[in-house]
Amino acid sequence: MIASVILIGVYFQPIWMIRLEAPQYPEGIGLNIWVNKITGQQPQDLQNINGLNHYIGMKPITPDSIPELKIIPPVIGFFILSGLLVAFSGNKKLLITWVVIFVIIAISGLVDFYLWEYDYGHDLNPNAPIKVPGMSYQPPLFGAKKMLNITATSLPHIGGIIVAVSLMLGFISIYLSKSEKGN
Amino acid sequence: MRTFNKKQLIAMASIIILVGALYVGCNDKKEIFQGDAAAHVYVAPGSHDEFYGFLSGGYNGQIGVYGLPSGRHLFTIPVFSQTPVSGYGYTEESKAMFNTSYGFIPWGDAHHPKISQTDGVPDGRWIFINENNTPRIARINLKTFKTVEIIEIPNSAGNHASSFVTENTEYVSAATRFSIPITTEKDVSISSYKENFQGTISFVKVDKEQEKMSLDFQILVPGFNYDIAHAGKGPSAGWAFFTSYNSEEANTLLEINASKNDKDFIAAVNWKRAAEFAKQGKGKIIDGQHYRNYYDSKTHISKSDVIEKVRILDPKELPGILYFLPTPKSPHGVDVSPDGKLIVAGGKLATVIPVHSFEKMVKAIEEKNFEGEVSGIPVLKYDAIIAGEVQNPGLGPLHTEFDGKGYAYTTSFISSEIVKWSLETFQVVDRIQTYYSPGHLMIPGGDSRKPWGKYLVALNKITKDRYLPTGPELFHSAQLIDISGAKMKLLLDFPTEGEPHYAQGIAAEVIKDNQIRFYKIEDNHHPYVTKSERDAKVVREGNVVRVYMTSIRSHFNPDNIEGIKVGDEVYFHVTNLEQDWDLPHGFAVLGANNAELLIMPGETQTMRWIPKKAGIYPFYCSDFCSALHQEMQGYIRVSPAGSNVAIKYGTGN
């Protein structure tokens, strides 16, 4: 049950973040990816990241053009409601099903995120002012990577951690219900 | 690469200094460093200074901003002088800041900066500075380091005793260094000085909510030269003190004729009482045309108001607002101790530093302990008000600041030194040479109720051999002196721009976190703003052509413009669309009889251009903005007058 309730928090905190650091950006600039939007960590960061990206021919990041941002919120809603139902029902099979679907969706979310990153990093405008042979600009899925002068770091934000904790709670409840049975 | 820790660096610096000192010591008898001076002023790369220092630029009309203790020159704030580096005074937006009742004035002589105060402590909101030549006072916003208001002082000449603020920035003061005919006929013989020449002491009200200065009242005073001022604080907060010289009322060869009297005066003004009289409608309304120029905070365009009349109070008719404190020999500085109880005068030709007691002054006024009157103004008895005289203060004492720990520091111009003396015993306890001939000195907060008594800056008038020579003209020199211990220690010698008169210092943390990094584009209400590249356009209105242009890394929009004709009046309204810190774009056009534009992110600036010859005119960004800055350029086609080339513009087609 707690697993579902804390999921509500996902609506209020970004799931993931990408930070860029460069000599010219001593304080760094960054993006927060929410269930339904992408924002700059400072209000102007998104504009500035798009401004930087245009030199290498990367498509501007326009949150309106990313359909996933419209799909994710109801999906999370589904997990909250279904998780609550599962909790009240106390049915272990349903619980396992809930956790398994959740894992599948979470993994496909990460795969989808990777594909977007791949697309941004590789689908470059051939007229870009800066072209480095063999260079692509895909940010890492998890961890840090140096691309030209910029070090990009990609990490789960609070929302992402909530998802992970929620999943872990799901697993724990499976384990607990197992031991209950054993007793 | 090997890196060094702080201790190693200090050790190395000390060795270098030691070797340097020995070497110089063999060649030169001059005192160079004492001990580990370099370590005290060493601010590691990437680290910030502890204090901001605001040094007036004197005849450059600006304020120089320096980091202390490093002495690094951080910025120059354009105030009274046209500044081509940023287009200040050249752009359509800023021109009005230079309006006066004498017309557009491109230059000013900046003297005494003063940070706004709350409860007698510098609050870091604004800094004020006076213009001596054509009397004006400017207000600078310390969130943007930008001059946002300039008010002219009418019925005045030589606005020297300015701009000193009262304890809660209720008023900023101004006074006449040069007396002139004010209430009398203006076209008179100069030799009729004694009959016709008068001075004024002005109080400019600061409306803190509206962020607006207005001349509340002027006080008509005898025709002496009013020199420097300081407002009281604590018990003396309702008073302000103005030194005067030339009580001889000489109008020629003042160096001899104005140095005759044994004593001149400090004018003690009860400004609270005067303000009450003004509020009651006392005094007279007289002619006093003056300009008030200010930046509209929404449009970032300067505007001018013209005010025709002023209120003038005559202290002969309104008793209790003005008294004279006799003070030896042409006093220059007047400084009030942090507790507000002592009034220190710098009698520049005197052999002592006279220190008046505020308490005794009030008592003498109550007891009418007067030695007489001058032009109807009561003169208090010297012996009745003096708290003490500092003996042997050096030659030519000028200005005093305080460390908040019971000591005062006075510059002595002629003997080129600073003397430290006790506010309890009036005894000199230490002295140090400066290089050379200090005018003002500055301790951060040293004229306030709470000085940061750690460093002192000597602002010298003569440089001579202190630095590598640069021909006949030299920057003025300053010395940073450590005053944290019993003995003053020379730490650093650094050149300063223009002629710093007075200066202000403030702990960096009071203002550093308030800095605006850029202007939000959505808050830009300039009438000719272009908020996105889609809105860029060129519009002809008769022979006026308005170019609504944007700049963002690394292009202008439009960057190709045709249809301009010789004799057109072209306005380039350039909006910098960047929303990031430290990303100004410049804008310069071949052959423009004008300065460049330097447009801060989110700002719109306008250059007026009247092309004189047909041809192709390149324009470009003059501030290296990005890796493709050299590509940030465009072309304007100018056709002969009367040709029928249509307006055409674009970017990237």
Side-chain angles (χ1 to χ4, degrees), chain B residues 450-465:
Chain B
K450 284 190 187 149
W452 288 273
K454 189 170 177 186
Y455 300 113
L456 179 158
V457 181
L459 301 157
N460 303 296
K461 299 298 183 191
I462 294 168
T463 305
K464 300 279 191 199
D465 61 345

Side-chain angles (χ1 to χ4, degrees), chain B residues 128-148:
Chain B
F128 299 90
I129 192 163
N130 62 314
E131 205 277 275
N132 186 56
N133 182 51
T134 304
R136 283 172 285 171
I137 292 175
R139 178 169 61 85
I140 290 115
N141 183 343
L142 287 181
K143 283 182 183 170
T144 55
F145 281 54
K146 204 172 152 146
T147 304
V148 290

Side-chain angles (χ1 to χ4, degrees), chain A residues 25 27 44 47-48 54-55, chain B residues 517 553-554 577 579-580:
Chain A
Y25 289 90
E27 296 169 354
Q44 70 280 7
Q47 177 186 335
N48 288 328
H54 101 278
Y55 288 117
Chain B
R517 294 183 160 194
R553 285 164 288 172
S554 305
L577 292 178
Q579 292 286 276
D580 200 357

Side-chain angles (χ1 to χ4, degrees), chain B residues 581-601:
Chain B
W581 191 22
D582 196 17
L583 259 170
H585 287 295
F587 179 79
V589 183
L590 169 69
N593 301 101
N594 212 334
E596 66 160 350
L597 300 177
L598 188 67
I599 315 135
M600 295 304 126

Side-chain angles (χ1 to χ4, degrees), chain B residues 74-93:
Chain B
L74 305 175
F75 188 57
T76 301
I77 307 172
V79 186
F80 295 114
S81 293
Q82 277 185 302
T83 310
V85 67
S86 60
Y88 177 69
Y90 295 92
T91 65
E92 296 306 299
E93 286 77 10

Side-chain angles (χ1 to χ4, degrees), chain B residues 195-206:
Chain B
E195 299 90 80
N196 290 319
F197 285 41
Q198 300 154 308
T200 54
I201 292 176
S202 303
F203 282 81
V204 173
K205 200 172 192 166
V206 182

Side-chain angles (χ1 to χ4, degrees), chain B residues 102 135 153-159 174-189 192-202 215 217-226 249 284-289 308-316:
Chain B
Y102 302 88
I153 310 296
N155 301 322
S156 177
N159 180 36
T176 44
R177 177 168 142 207
F178 309 128
S179 290
I180 47 169
I182 289 169
T183 55
T184 56
E185 167 66 36
K186 303 283 192 289
D187 178 20
V188 295
S189 160
S192 71
Y193 189 105
K194 285 187 174 123
E195 299 90 80
N196 290 319
F197 285 41
Q198 300 154 308
T200 54
I201 292 176
S202 303
L215 180 50
F217 59 89
Q218 301 192 296
I219 300 173
L220 193 65
V221 289
F224 312 152
N225 290 30
Y226 296 86
E249 300 191 73
K284 264 189 285 191
I285 303 293
I286 63 165
D287 285 341
Q289 193 193 61
E308 296 292 343
K309 302 276 180 186
V310 289
R311 177 178 303 282
I312 193 151
L313 307 178
D314 188 341
K316 291 195 285 278

